Amino acid sequence: MSESAVTNRLILVGQVAGGFGVRGEVRVTAYTADPLALTAYGPLLRADGTVGLTLTQARPDKGGLVGRASQVATKEQADALRGLKLYVPRDRFPEPDEDEFYLADLIGLEARDADDAVIGMVKSVQNFGAGDMLEIAPASGGATWYLPFTREAAPQVRAAQGWLRVLRPAEVGEPEPG
């Protein structure tokens, strides 16, 4: 994956939960460690890259923040945005330290087995509630498969070099199904 494709990727950082109060404030569920960080990223974008919200004021709230946005003047306008997913371009985030990475940076990496053979590519990183899962698209084609993103199942991550080592469950000691 090219450097520009990585840095221009949109990262999901929050979702509009609806209006707050009667004066057009909006409640945002934040997917960042610090909800107020959403105010530092500039305009928050829609999935298509257009501006969704530009927060002008914000205060922490349970699970996120409550604030004013230049696009919202009434409670009805805020409520109409409920469910809107908010994104930030990857290049607005600070560069991670050496040996650190953002989960979004895993997308597009080669998945290599214990013998260093490319067995697929990371298509997405999902979290269905029990931890992060890597969706792997097999190099040989066919259906994608999921792997828990744990040290046991993905013991090496070399994001800067474009790959990660993956061990399927049977390779990390789990019994074969059936």
Side-chain angles (χ1 to χ4, degrees):
M1 182 172 291
S2 72
E3 181 68 23
S4 64
V6 170
T7 57
N8 292 333
R9 181 180 303 134
L10 294 178
I11 310 299
L12 180 64
V13 295
Q15 182 170 340
V16 176
F20 181 86
V22 295
R23 297 203 168 132
E25 287 185 302
V26 60
R27 183 186 308 251
V28 176
T29 302
Y31 303 145
T32 56
D34 174 12
L36 290 179
L38 296 181
T39 63
Y41 296 133
L44 301 173
L45 307 178
R46 297 171 182 268
D48 65 4
T50 61
V51 174
L53 283 182
T54 304
L55 294 169
T56 57
Q57 296 178 347
R59 64 186 180 279
D61 188 53
K62 188 168 125 182
L65 59 84
V66 169
R68 296 202 173 278
S70 56
Q71 295 82 1
V72 179
T74 68
K75 178 177 179 10
E76 292 75 22
Q77 288 175 328
D79 284 337
L81 294 174
R82 180 177 286 121
L84 175 66
K85 293 182 184 314
L86 302 168
Y87 299 83
V88 172
R90 167 63 180 85
D91 61 7
R92 288 194 199 158
F93 289 97
E95 281 306 308
D97 292 333
E98 189 174 334
D99 294 331
E100 291 186 342
F101 52 85
Y102 293 105
L103 289 175
D105 292 342
L106 299 175
I107 299 168
L109 295 185
E110 290 180 348
R112 297 182 181 179
D113 68 11
D115 297 321
D116 214 31
V118 176
I119 59 172
M121 181 183 72
V122 178
K123 181 178 178 181
S124 69
V125 180
Q126 302 287 334
N127 190 315
F128 303 109
D132 295 317
M133 302 286 288
L134 301 176
E135 182 181 10
I136 308 289
S140 59
T144 62
W145 51 278
Y146 287 92
L147 183 76
F149 186 54
T150 62
R151 175 125 358 241
E152 294 78 26
Q156 288 180 293
V157 177
R158 301 292 184 262
Q161 289 79 38
W163 63 274
L164 61 99
R165 177 101 43 235
V166 299
L167 303 175
R168 288 181 178 243
E171 296 172 298
V172 294
E174 293 183 15
E176 289 284 333

